[in-house]
Structures are given as structure tokens and as C-alpha cells.
Amino acid sequence: MIKKSVEDICNRQIQREGYSSILYLAMASWAETKGYSGIAAWLYQQAEEEKMHMLKFVSYINERGGHAILPAFEQPPSTFSDIPTLFDQVLEHEQYITESINEIVAMVSKEKDFATLNWIQWFVSEQVEEEAAVQEIIDKLRLVGTHNMYMFDRDILSLRAEGEPEAEG
Ligand code: FEO
């Protein structure tokens, strides 16, 4: 049976992963309206991954005898200034999520909940991969410069295919 403190912090993470998903959906929608179909596709895929992350927490809490609670989500921004700034915001958000996962690691260690400590390791690795993937995009954006956005938009999905293995379900 999951402890209340662990259940609560995992429920908090459901909100954060779910918000990540709608934030990336909002970014994808904006990018699509600006004609960046490749960038939009990358963000739509990322939004799906975040939904899968949220569902992993839902399943885990319920499997351990807790009750996963689906929260209301704050409305994400609907407009973004430009593509490089958007990816800076994605990285900043992922760093926030990493910090949040680290807080769960610290909490379950303190609570001696070794099952959750073991389970959460998947997210620890996933955050390393996600931050690296977004950093790679930011580095590439610096290389191509804002005058070559057509090529960047065309190539971004191949970047994901090479650099980021599909997350397991
Ligand atoms: Fe689920 Fe990108 O953090």
C-alpha cells in the first residue's frame, strides 16, 4: 500500500505531466498556424509522450492501492514569440520537470519506499534523454540561424528519430 505522502507527490506529478502535454499541444498548435509543420509534428509527438508519462503515474498510484486524481489544468499560453524562444521554454519546462522528479526521488528515499524508488528510475533516465534531445535542437537552431527555418522545420523529425529512442509505454 502506497503511503499518503507518496500518493500525494505522485498525484502532484500527474498534474505536472498533464500540463506538460497541454503546454506542448498549445506550442504545436501555434507552430502549425505559423506554417512550421515539422516543428508542430515534433511537439505533437512530445505532447503524446507527456500524456503517456501522466498515465504511468495514474496506473502506478492505483496499482499500489492509492487513488490517482485527475486535476484541472491551467490554460497554457497560446502564442509564442519565435521558434528559438519556444525551444528555450521547452528546455526550461523540462528542467522544472526534472527537478520535480528529483523531489519524488528524495521523498521516497526518505520514506524508505523502495518500490517507488525503483519505479521512478525510469523517469530519472527519461528526463536525462528529454533534456539532451531539447538541448540538441537548441544547438542545431543556433547553427542554422533563423534564416534557415524552412530547412530546420523540414529536418527536425529526423533529429528526433536519430537522437531519441521511443519511450516505452
Ligand atoms: Fe514528462 Fe518531459 O517530462
Side-chain angles (χ1 to χ4, degrees), residues 7 28 35-37 46-48 70 84 104 107 114 117 119 121 123 128 151 163 169:
E7 180 180 357
Y36 296 114
S37 55
Q46 198 59 37
E48 274 303 303
L70 274 299
I104 300 176
M107 139 81 80
F114 300 117
L117 184 60
W119 177 80
Q121 296 311 310
F123 283 91
V128 171
M151 282 170 67

Side-chain angles (χ1 to χ4, degrees), residues 151-169:
M151 282 170 67
F152 181 81
D153 185 63
R154 191 193 59 190
D155 294 345
I156 185 170
L157 289 178
S158 62
L159 246 183
R160 168 184 280 270
E162 288 163 20
E164 191 180 334
E166 279 304 301
E168 65 184 59

Side-chain angles (χ1 to χ4, degrees), residues 17 20 24 46 49-50 53 94 97 123 126-127 130:
E17 300 291 346
S20 305
Y24 297 155
Q46 198 59 37
E49 284 203 14
E50 298 302 348
H53 294 171
E94 287 302 327
I97 294 293
F123 283 91
E126 179 70 3
Q127 284 311 116
E130 293 212 331

Side-chain angles (χ1 to χ4, degrees), residues 80-166:
F80 301 88
S81 49
D82 52 46
I83 295 296
T85 311
L86 181 148
F87 279 105
D88 285 344
Q89 287 175 275
V90 172
L91 182 60
E92 197 178 310
H93 185 74
E94 287 302 327
Q95 287 166 341
Y96 161 72
I97 294 293
T98 299
E99 191 51 43
S100 169
I101 295 291
N102 288 344
E103 285 169 11
I104 300 176
V105 172
M107 139 81 80
V108 299
S109 303
K110 191 175 125 262
E111 295 284 6
K112 296 189 168 47
D113 180 345
F114 300 117
T116 306
L117 184 60
N118 183 48
W119 177 80
I120 200 75
Q121 296 311 310
W122 184 88
F123 283 91
V124 173
S125 306
E126 179 70 3
Q127 284 311 116
V128 171
E129 278 181 22
E130 293 212 331
E131 283 195 30
V134 181
Q135 187 62 59
E136 190 184 358
I137 288 173
I138 291 170
D139 292 345
K140 288 276 190 306
L141 271 170
R142 287 215 180 91
L143 278 178
V144 299
T146 47
H147 298 303
N148 285 312
M149 290 307 294
Y150 173 79
M151 282 170 67
F152 181 81
D153 185 63
R154 191 193 59 190
D155 294 345
I156 185 170
L157 289 178
S158 62
L159 246 183
R160 168 184 280 270
E162 288 163 20
E164 191 180 334
E166 279 304 301

